[in-house]
Amino acid sequence: MSEKLRIGIIGAGRIGKLHAENLAYSIPSAQIAVIADVNMTQEMEAWAKSLGIPKVSKNPQDVINAADVDAVMVCSSTATHADFTIAAAKAGKHVFCEKPIDMDVEKVKIALEAVNKAGVKMQVGFNRRFDHNFRRVRELSREGGVGDIHIVKITSRDPAPPPASYVAVSGGIFIDMMIHDFDMARFQAGSEITEVYAAGAVLVDPEIGKAGDIDTALVTLKFANGAIGVIDNSRQAVYGYDQRLEVFGSKGSAQADNDMPSTVKLSNKDGVTGDKPLYFFLERYKGAFIAEIESFVDAIQHSKPVEVTGEDGLADMYAALAAGKSLKEKRPVAVAEVMK
Amino acid sequence: MSEKLRIGIIGAGRIGKLHAENLAYSIPSAQIAVIADVNMTQEMEAWAKSLGIPKVSKNPQDVINAADVDAVMVCSSTATHADFTIAAAKAGKHVFCEKPIDMDVEKVKIALEAVNKAGVKMQVGFNRRFDHNFRRVRELSREGGVGDIHIVKITSRDPAPPPASYVAVSGGIFIDMMIHDFDMARFQAGSEITEVYAAGAVLVDPEIGKAGDIDTALVTLKFANGAIGVIDNSRQAVYGYDQRLEVFGSKGSAQADNDMPSTVKLSNKDGVTGDKPLYFFLERYKGAFIAEIESFVDAIQHSKPVEVTGEDGLADMYAALAAGKSLKEKRPVAVAEVMK
Amino acid sequence: MSEKLRIGIIGAGRIGKLHAENLAYSIPSAQIAVIADVNMTQEMEAWAKSLGIPKVSKNPQDVINAADVDAVMVCSSTATHADFTIAAAKAGKHVFCEKPIDMDVEKVKIALEAVNKAGVKMQVGFNRRFDHNFRRVRELSREGGVGDIHIVKITSRDPAPPPASYVAVSGGIFIDMMIHDFDMARFQAGSEITEVYAAGAVLVDPEIGKAGDIDTALVTLKFANGAIGVIDNSRQAVYGYDQRLEVFGSKGSAQADNDMPSTVKLSNKDGVTGDKPLYFFLERYKGAFIAEIESFVDAIQHSKPVEVTGEDGLADMYAALAAGKSLKEKRPVAVAEVMK
Amino acid sequence: MSEKLRIGIIGAGRIGKLHAENLAYSIPSAQIAVIADVNMTQEMEAWAKSLGIPKVSKNPQDVINAADVDAVMVCSSTATHADFTIAAAKAGKHVFCEKPIDMDVEKVKIALEAVNKAGVKMQVGFNRRFDHNFRRVRELSREGGVGDIHIVKITSRDPAPPPASYVAVSGGIFIDMMIHDFDMARFQAGSEITEVYAAGAVLVDPEIGKAGDIDTALVTLKFANGAIGVIDNSRQAVYGYDQRLEVFGSKGSAQADNDMPSTVKLSNKDGVTGDKPLYFFLERYKGAFIAEIESFVDAIQHSKPVEVTGEDGLADMYAALAAGKSLKEKRPVAVAEVMK
């Protein structure tokens, strides 16, 4: 392996670009060898050049087959994640795969098998585990600061709802949105989710209801270690991106509040007013997106386990499927039920 | 009616004494005419005298039958609440009854019927509705500050668990502890609870488990107006009495944080440290205990509706019973199921 | 001495009434034997009766000469403070004297001499020393939490300016308002003020300037122990009563923030808004007014030193006079200069 | 002018490197044409190459004379700032000069004259004006949120003292450290400082005293617009880099608190503890260092005034000199006194 980890990227959409820019500007231990996008445009090429990426392609195979690529980042459309993961693994490349690995659990399993067989590393893009606030909470509980964990509470609300057209193909709120929170819950509890009960409603936008989804959800969790938890999601928090959590236990409670653009407070005759939370996920999780790739690179270069495995991605998917089943059948659902 | 509302108190235990002292020292619009306790001691008599209470008795009937009493406060043991309420109502007295009215729903109904028939006012002792923080949240949502209510979240944790012997006769965590939060949830949502799902565990003290109860509980709520909610309870928050809530809606979110003994923060090499929340419920809800009686007195003197009715007490009881049933049967339970 | 400390009050104006009500309702270890006011009205008499005060009078001598009075609280107009203090001391009564003892330093000295000669206790009404926040800061620094004290910063701003007519006879901002902060600075620094430099301006109300005073002031302090400090005053903080301080030292910094009516925050599209600070000094220092009298009673009953001595009152006065001199002469002024 | 602003950097020490990395990674509208350092090492060359800087030199003239350089950033040792500024201006280059321009006011004046004569733009490196918090405060007051400004308060404390050897050649605390705060005070007040009074002490490290300096300082300010202010500095805040300010006026008060590494709070039996402020100035002002160069580039490319002029640098220097004189002569000093 060369000194710098050589990375190939498949997909130059929003998330692919973000990772590329982070690699180019903020992660000196890696370099981008090639980027491919089936819709590669002249603009994209110019952008890639400005980042110093030496090679661009319209063919993802050019990434997978490249001799000078140590690891492949799969940032293409969801439907292609599993196939590119499998192909990259077979080619002996380490894989960073954006979430979800696939909408179909069977396909996810096949991908994980391919990765395991190839003996390469695989990390899934649950960036929030690398957030400075949530990571600090986890550190505190790992250090024993909260004692045995009793309750995990996660609030996760988007600033504005997606269009109903997006919702219709999104896989639903549990797969599309709350899957991040299932992952966070498992991370914070240090334990697997064994049962869920989902309550949901259409309160934000009736079009979301017509598209067969809900926009407000509250899911009760039971964990293997005996702890209990709850996640609430809303598609619209008018004050911004609301991302908070609490881990409560026998010795105390660790709480992460929102990040704000500034610490400034204005006191006047109307009250004491501070900033709203950062509005957009790219802003809120800016550092987390860099940290997750640093961690991936570090895991490969120093033979450490990755911090978010393919198995994590699968477990999160099971929790989401169980939540969907719970909502539909109006009863608590054991996660084992959807694992067949 | 004399200028000051004339109050008779039945029961001079912790809560009876508290109300008496609040009436004597902080509520000029009322006066205590008589206090009765079946275990009246010399000490109690001296204490009553020091408050300027002109008459003490071992016989609760002396309160109920007193000609110079406009309203009776029932602060005796739970098992006697309903009977004294009925007797007082029949005697034409207004009634303030500590919670719960009774452990038996049928008896509660009989008491409410007696009150309604007598045409007197009845208020139940859910003091938290009068807390400065929770009241401010309700005001903000009533004024439209949060828009339509989507999610209500309540955290309510005691500083230390009661002895298992108490737990055994307490009626269980939902009746003994979470009933306050059911009442708060209904108050904040401005709507009735229609369905609950209860998750619970014994994580604090195995003795509580042996006594047939749980010490950690998380209950999902559905409200008649479409909102959803969650309450979490723990019998032990080592950092103090943890009493917070959030009301989230279409226009924003109102959150009440804990009250602290001081605003002081110490910054040193170990971090920035502030006070723990107020530890004890009498301290935390000091103002609320006064405000609930002021409100009761005001309702009588100015012919206003009371702010927490007997029907509220009954509805809270139903929610608690439904939660118990949900925990036992491991399924969501419609509150209507327990209303027969 | 009877079990309860027997107190006589001279003056039934705002502050006299406040102390009387606190004694009647919140301080069981004392009782009011008599209250006198040269302008005693029927209303005052009725109010006194409602508090259970057995005797009222138009003649302050009836308080000073009363055989059943252990301690006299001087709450009359400023011009009479010193004389009543002297008379009470000569009559062998302990004295609680509202601030300032007198506008004239010589008269203050004479009063202190009389008190010392009589061997009675004297406490001056600097209630803020008993405030829960400021007291907590002092505790933290006494316990060594901030190490050696380097900097003391006090912000003290009124919600609204007094009328210019009041300002004209008030003795000026340093005597009338900042004297509280000089006392607080000495208390927090645990050291005497040796030098002051005063900057001031008329920025709130030109009428205050016409009355010969300033409405905005910033005074630099040097303390005998080497620490430095600053106090800022404004006659108008439109957001409420702004009472904060910081004690910074070799091991850390303790900061007291304002008290708010509630902990509630509303997040909406305009920001995150919380309550304004408590607006009025009676509300903000409610607990402090009770605690100072409890402390006075306790000092007498248990032969402890009082917590704010007459000498403190004199030292505060010197600091205020030095500040006035500094403002006038536009130079730093050693406090010793005004002590003659 | 080419599309990207072409920048030459003189000095590849800590601050030169910081600016170079920010230009390379975070400011797409500019590019570095050349970097010179009289002590250019092989390591520096490798570092420059890794940033894609096409040319390195040991001779600052290679920057000043380069035909492909539009603007020169002077990041060399303080003693050379003025000369390089003059040379760059004469060569028709825009200049970004680190603070201070020079220790000698006369030399500063000569440099500013050269800049003015050449008609180039000059910006001085007072990065804090670009900090997200302080900028937000300024915005709020510019928008009228605080009304007329009455009081400006700045707290600015370093986490740890420099070695006494550094102190001896630093120009003293007012020139070396508080000059940032004088600049901030002028920026926030929107007005010039007309008079200062400095109190100071050696409380942190006696070695600093032996080196002829103080380590704790508190300076009162008067502004041309009638406002008053205060700055406090300490060389050692053991809890981190303490950077706060308040602008108080007729309509309210805007306060900027410290930035913390995370929002997490741990509640346990000892209290509620959060993070310490960010410890190091490079971390705390990370965004400000980028924003100041973006602003400089923008000013040149879009013919706008720079946000921190050479005249600002001179005015800040005058304030610092006046503070030094005030400390020495123990009296308030009009800034005009030191302007000769």
Side-chain angles (χ1 to χ4, degrees), chain B residues 197-213:
Chain B
Y197 173 70
V202 180
L203 300 170
V204 171
D205 181 359
E207 292 303 313
I208 290 176
K210 285 179 198 161
D213 200 3

mmCIF file with all atom_site columns, all heavy atoms in Angstrom, chain B residues 197-213:
data_model
loop_
_atom_site.group_PDB
_atom_site.id
_atom_site.type_symbol
_atom_site.label_atom_id
_atom_site.label_alt_id
_atom_site.label_comp_id
_atom_site.label_asym_id
_atom_site.label_entity_id
_atom_site.label_seq_id
_atom_site.pdbx_PDB_ins_code
_atom_site.Cartn_x
_atom_site.Cartn_y
_atom_site.Cartn_z
_atom_site.occupancy
_atom_site.B_iso_or_equiv
_atom_site.pdbx_formal_charge
_atom_site.auth_seq_id
_atom_site.auth_comp_id
_atom_site.auth_asym_id
_atom_site.auth_atom_id
_atom_site.pdbx_PDB_model_num
ATOM 1   N N   . TYR B 1 197 ? -49.104 2.553   25.315 1.00 0.00 ? 197 TYR B N   1
ATOM 2   C CA  . TYR B 1 197 ? -48.284 1.337   25.247 1.00 0.00 ? 197 TYR B CA  1
ATOM 3   C C   . TYR B 1 197 ? -47.159 1.499   26.259 1.00 0.00 ? 197 TYR B C   1
ATOM 4   O O   . TYR B 1 197 ? -46.398 2.481   26.215 1.00 0.00 ? 197 TYR B O   1
ATOM 5   C CB  . TYR B 1 197 ? -47.710 1.105   23.848 1.00 0.00 ? 197 TYR B CB  1
ATOM 6   C CG  . TYR B 1 197 ? -46.733 -0.064  23.866 1.00 0.00 ? 197 TYR B CG  1
ATOM 7   C CD1 . TYR B 1 197 ? -47.189 -1.370  24.052 1.00 0.00 ? 197 TYR B CD1 1
ATOM 8   C CD2 . TYR B 1 197 ? -45.363 0.144   23.749 1.00 0.00 ? 197 TYR B CD2 1
ATOM 9   C CE1 . TYR B 1 197 ? -46.304 -2.437  24.123 1.00 0.00 ? 197 TYR B CE1 1
ATOM 10  C CE2 . TYR B 1 197 ? -44.469 -0.919  23.811 1.00 0.00 ? 197 TYR B CE2 1
ATOM 11  C CZ  . TYR B 1 197 ? -44.944 -2.214  24.001 1.00 0.00 ? 197 TYR B CZ  1
ATOM 12  O OH  . TYR B 1 197 ? -44.074 -3.265  24.083 1.00 0.00 ? 197 TYR B OH  1
ATOM 13  N N   . ALA B 1 198 ? -47.047 0.549   27.165 1.00 0.00 ? 198 ALA B N   1
ATOM 14  C CA  . ALA B 1 198 ? -46.090 0.678   28.270 1.00 0.00 ? 198 ALA B CA  1
ATOM 15  C C   . ALA B 1 198 ? -44.935 -0.303  28.143 1.00 0.00 ? 198 ALA B C   1
ATOM 16  O O   . ALA B 1 198 ? -45.150 -1.506  27.968 1.00 0.00 ? 198 ALA B O   1
ATOM 17  C CB  . ALA B 1 198 ? -46.810 0.439   29.597 1.00 0.00 ? 198 ALA B CB  1
ATOM 18  N N   . ALA B 1 199 ? -43.729 0.237   28.210 1.00 0.00 ? 199 ALA B N   1
ATOM 19  C CA  . ALA B 1 199 ? -42.543 -0.598  28.346 1.00 0.00 ? 199 ALA B CA  1
ATOM 20  C C   . ALA B 1 199 ? -41.989 -0.341  29.740 1.00 0.00 ? 199 ALA B C   1
ATOM 21  O O   . ALA B 1 199 ? -42.012 0.793   30.219 1.00 0.00 ? 199 ALA B O   1
ATOM 22  C CB  . ALA B 1 199 ? -41.499 -0.215  27.295 1.00 0.00 ? 199 ALA B CB  1
ATOM 23  N N   . GLY B 1 200 ? -41.498 -1.388  30.389 1.00 0.00 ? 200 GLY B N   1
ATOM 24  C CA  . GLY B 1 200 ? -41.019 -1.182  31.751 1.00 0.00 ? 200 GLY B CA  1
ATOM 25  C C   . GLY B 1 200 ? -39.955 -2.184  32.107 1.00 0.00 ? 200 GLY B C   1
ATOM 26  O O   . GLY B 1 200 ? -39.802 -3.210  31.444 1.00 0.00 ? 200 GLY B O   1
ATOM 27  N N   . ALA B 1 201 ? -39.202 -1.858  33.149 1.00 0.00 ? 201 ALA B N   1
ATOM 28  C CA  . ALA B 1 201 ? -38.122 -2.746  33.555 1.00 0.00 ? 201 ALA B CA  1
ATOM 29  C C   . ALA B 1 201 ? -37.781 -2.490  35.014 1.00 0.00 ? 201 ALA B C   1
ATOM 30  O O   . ALA B 1 201 ? -38.103 -1.433  35.568 1.00 0.00 ? 201 ALA B O   1
ATOM 31  C CB  . ALA B 1 201 ? -36.900 -2.514  32.688 1.00 0.00 ? 201 ALA B CB  1
ATOM 32  N N   . VAL B 1 202 ? -37.156 -3.485  35.616 1.00 0.00 ? 202 VAL B N   1
ATOM 33  C CA  . VAL B 1 202 ? -36.629 -3.323  36.968 1.00 0.00 ? 202 VAL B CA  1
ATOM 34  C C   . VAL B 1 202 ? -35.127 -3.125  36.831 1.00 0.00 ? 202 VAL B C   1
ATOM 35  O O   . VAL B 1 202 ? -34.377 -4.069  36.607 1.00 0.00 ? 202 VAL B O   1
ATOM 36  C CB  . VAL B 1 202 ? -36.943 -4.553  37.843 1.00 0.00 ? 202 VAL B CB  1
ATOM 37  C CG1 . VAL B 1 202 ? -36.365 -4.351  39.245 1.00 0.00 ? 202 VAL B CG1 1
ATOM 38  C CG2 . VAL B 1 202 ? -38.446 -4.788  37.902 1.00 0.00 ? 202 VAL B CG2 1
ATOM 39  N N   . LEU B 1 203 ? -34.677 -1.896  36.928 1.00 0.00 ? 203 LEU B N   1
ATOM 40  C CA  . LEU B 1 203 ? -33.264 -1.581  36.701 1.00 0.00 ? 203 LEU B CA  1
ATOM 41  C C   . LEU B 1 203 ? -32.636 -0.892  37.897 1.00 0.00 ? 203 LEU B C   1
ATOM 42  O O   . LEU B 1 203 ? -31.421 -0.838  38.030 1.00 0.00 ? 203 LEU B O   1
ATOM 43  C CB  . LEU B 1 203 ? -33.118 -0.695  35.455 1.00 0.00 ? 203 LEU B CB  1
ATOM 44  C CG  . LEU B 1 203 ? -33.629 -1.303  34.132 1.00 0.00 ? 203 LEU B CG  1
ATOM 45  C CD1 . LEU B 1 203 ? -33.653 -0.259  33.029 1.00 0.00 ? 203 LEU B CD1 1
ATOM 46  C CD2 . LEU B 1 203 ? -32.750 -2.480  33.719 1.00 0.00 ? 203 LEU B CD2 1
ATOM 47  N N   . VAL B 1 204 ? -33.460 -0.363  38.781 1.00 0.00 ? 204 VAL B N   1
ATOM 48  C CA  . VAL B 1 204 ? -32.952 0.418   39.906 1.00 0.00 ? 204 VAL B CA  1
ATOM 49  C C   . VAL B 1 204 ? -32.758 -0.459  41.142 1.00 0.00 ? 204 VAL B C   1
ATOM 50  O O   . VAL B 1 204 ? -31.708 -0.425  41.781 1.00 0.00 ? 204 VAL B O   1
ATOM 51  C CB  . VAL B 1 204 ? -33.920 1.585   40.225 1.00 0.00 ? 204 VAL B CB  1
ATOM 52  C CG1 . VAL B 1 204 ? -33.519 2.277   41.522 1.00 0.00 ? 204 VAL B CG1 1
ATOM 53  C CG2 . VAL B 1 204 ? -33.963 2.571   39.060 1.00 0.00 ? 204 VAL B CG2 1
ATOM 54  N N   . ASP B 1 205 ? -33.792 -1.233  41.474 1.00 0.00 ? 205 ASP B N   1
ATOM 55  C CA  . ASP B 1 205 ? -33.768 -1.979  42.730 1.00 0.00 ? 205 ASP B CA  1
ATOM 56  C C   . ASP B 1 205 ? -34.535 -3.287  42.567 1.00 0.00 ? 205 ASP B C   1
ATOM 57  O O   . ASP B 1 205 ? -35.751 -3.278  42.396 1.00 0.00 ? 205 ASP B O   1
ATOM 58  C CB  . ASP B 1 205 ? -34.409 -1.127  43.836 1.00 0.00 ? 205 ASP B CB  1
ATOM 59  C CG  . ASP B 1 205 ? -34.402 -1.830  45.189 1.00 0.00 ? 205 ASP B CG  1
ATOM 60  O OD1 . ASP B 1 205 ? -33.915 -2.981  45.272 1.00 0.00 ? 205 ASP B OD1 1
ATOM 61  O OD2 . ASP B 1 205 ? -34.895 -1.229  46.156 1.00 0.00 ? 205 ASP B OD2 1
ATOM 62  N N   . PRO B 1 206 ? -33.843 -4.430  42.658 1.00 0.00 ? 206 PRO B N   1
ATOM 63  C CA  . PRO B 1 206 ? -34.515 -5.722  42.470 1.00 0.00 ? 206 PRO B CA  1
ATOM 64  C C   . PRO B 1 206 ? -35.645 -5.935  43.462 1.00 0.00 ? 206 PRO B C   1
ATOM 65  O O   . PRO B 1 206 ? -36.612 -6.649  43.163 1.00 0.00 ? 206 PRO B O   1
ATOM 66  C CB  . PRO B 1 206 ? -33.400 -6.759  42.691 1.00 0.00 ? 206 PRO B CB  1
ATOM 67  C CG  . PRO B 1 206 ? -32.122 -6.024  42.827 1.00 0.00 ? 206 PRO B CG  1
ATOM 68  C CD  . PRO B 1 206 ? -32.402 -4.561  42.879 1.00 0.00 ? 206 PRO B CD  1
ATOM 69  N N   . GLU B 1 207 ? -35.552 -5.293  44.631 1.00 0.00 ? 207 GLU B N   1
ATOM 70  C CA  . GLU B 1 207 ? -36.624 -5.446  45.626 1.00 0.00 ? 207 GLU B CA  1
ATOM 71  C C   . GLU B 1 207 ? -37.952 -4.918  45.091 1.00 0.00 ? 207 GLU B C   1
ATOM 72  O O   . GLU B 1 207 ? -39.019 -5.415  45.450 1.00 0.00 ? 207 GLU B O   1
ATOM 73  C CB  . GLU B 1 207 ? -36.266 -4.709  46.930 1.00 0.00 ? 207 GLU B CB  1
ATOM 74  C CG  . GLU B 1 207 ? -35.103 -5.310  47.693 1.00 0.00 ? 207 GLU B CG  1
ATOM 75  C CD  . GLU B 1 207 ? -35.339 -6.777  48.051 1.00 0.00 ? 207 GLU B CD  1
ATOM 76  O OE1 . GLU B 1 207 ? -36.433 -7.100  48.550 1.00 0.00 ? 207 GLU B OE1 1
ATOM 77  O OE2 . GLU B 1 207 ? -34.430 -7.598  47.789 1.00 0.00 ? 207 GLU B OE2 1
ATOM 78  N N   . ILE B 1 208 ? -37.861 -3.896  44.274 1.00 0.00 ? 208 ILE B N   1
ATOM 79  C CA  . ILE B 1 208 ? -39.082 -3.347  43.665 1.00 0.00 ? 208 ILE B CA  1
ATOM 80  C C   . ILE B 1 208 ? -39.699 -4.395  42.750 1.00 0.00 ? 208 ILE B C   1
ATOM 81  O O   . ILE B 1 208 ? -40.924 -4.576  42.708 1.00 0.00 ? 208 ILE B O   1
ATOM 82  C CB  . ILE B 1 208 ? -38.765 -2.028  42.925 1.00 0.00 ? 208 ILE B CB  1
ATOM 83  C CG1 . ILE B 1 208 ? -38.428 -0.933  43.954 1.00 0.00 ? 208 ILE B CG1 1
ATOM 84  C CG2 . ILE B 1 208 ? -39.927 -1.601  42.032 1.00 0.00 ? 208 ILE B CG2 1
ATOM 85  C CD1 . ILE B 1 208 ? -37.992 0.395   43.364 1.00 0.00 ? 208 ILE B CD1 1
ATOM 86  N N   . GLY B 1 209 ? -38.837 -5.094  42.030 1.00 0.00 ? 209 GLY B N   1
ATOM 87  C CA  . GLY B 1 209 ? -39.320 -6.178  41.178 1.00 0.00 ? 209 GLY B CA  1
ATOM 88  C C   . GLY B 1 209 ? -39.993 -7.269  41.996 1.00 0.00 ? 209 GLY B C   1
ATOM 89  O O   . GLY B 1 209 ? -41.073 -7.766  41.652 1.00 0.00 ? 209 GLY B O   1
ATOM 90  N N   . LYS B 1 210 ? -39.355 -7.616  43.121 1.00 0.00 ? 210 LYS B N   1
ATOM 91  C CA  . LYS B 1 210 ? -39.936 -8.648  43.981 1.00 0.00 ? 210 LYS B CA  1
ATOM 92  C C   . LYS B 1 210 ? -41.297 -8.218  44.525 1.00 0.00 ? 210 LYS B C   1
ATOM 93  O O   . LYS B 1 210 ? -42.166 -9.049  44.779 1.00 0.00 ? 210 LYS B O   1
ATOM 94  C CB  . LYS B 1 210 ? -38.996 -8.955  45.152 1.00 0.00 ? 210 LYS B CB  1
ATOM 95  C CG  . LYS B 1 210 ? -37.792 -9.791  44.706 1.00 0.00 ? 210 LYS B CG  1
ATOM 96  C CD  . LYS B 1 210 ? -36.847 -10.078 45.855 1.00 0.00 ? 210 LYS B CD  1
ATOM 97  C CE  . LYS B 1 210 ? -35.476 -10.500 45.356 1.00 0.00 ? 210 LYS B CE  1
ATOM 98  N NZ  . LYS B 1 210 ? -34.436 -10.343 46.388 1.00 0.00 ? 210 LYS B NZ  1
ATOM 99  N N   . ALA B 1 211 ? -41.455 -6.910  44.699 1.00 0.00 ? 211 ALA B N   1
ATOM 100 C CA  . ALA B 1 211 ? -42.731 -6.390  45.185 1.00 0.00 ? 211 ALA B CA  1
ATOM 101 C C   . ALA B 1 211 ? -43.769 -6.327  44.063 1.00 0.00 ? 211 ALA B C   1
ATOM 102 O O   . ALA B 1 211 ? -44.869 -5.816  44.258 1.00 0.00 ? 211 ALA B O   1
ATOM 103 C CB  . ALA B 1 211 ? -42.531 -5.007  45.806 1.00 0.00 ? 211 ALA B CB  1
ATOM 104 N N   . GLY B 1 212 ? -43.391 -6.816  42.888 1.00 0.00 ? 212 GLY B N   1
ATOM 105 C CA  . GLY B 1 212 ? -44.361 -6.908  41.799 1.00 0.00 ? 212 GLY B CA  1
ATOM 106 C C   . GLY B 1 212 ? -44.475 -5.652  40.951 1.00 0.00 ? 212 GLY B C   1
ATOM 107 O O   . GLY B 1 212 ? -45.398 -5.497  40.163 1.00 0.00 ? 212 GLY B O   1
ATOM 108 N N   . ASP B 1 213 ? -43.538 -4.743  41.129 1.00 0.00 ? 213 ASP B N   1
ATOM 109 C CA  . ASP B 1 213 ? -43.624 -3.488  40.382 1.00 0.00 ? 213 ASP B CA  1
ATOM 110 C C   . ASP B 1 213 ? -42.381 -3.335  39.487 1.00 0.00 ? 213 ASP B C   1
ATOM 111 O O   . ASP B 1 213 ? -41.472 -4.167  39.505 1.00 0.00 ? 213 ASP B O   1
ATOM 112 C CB  . ASP B 1 213 ? -43.716 -2.315  41.369 1.00 0.00 ? 213 ASP B CB  1
ATOM 113 C CG  . ASP B 1 213 ? -44.297 -1.042  40.743 1.00 0.00 ? 213 ASP B CG  1
ATOM 114 O OD1 . ASP B 1 213 ? -44.683 -1.073  39.560 1.00 0.00 ? 213 ASP B OD1 1
ATOM 115 O OD2 . ASP B 1 213 ? -44.358 -0.031  41.456 1.00 0.00 ? 213 ASP B OD2 1
#
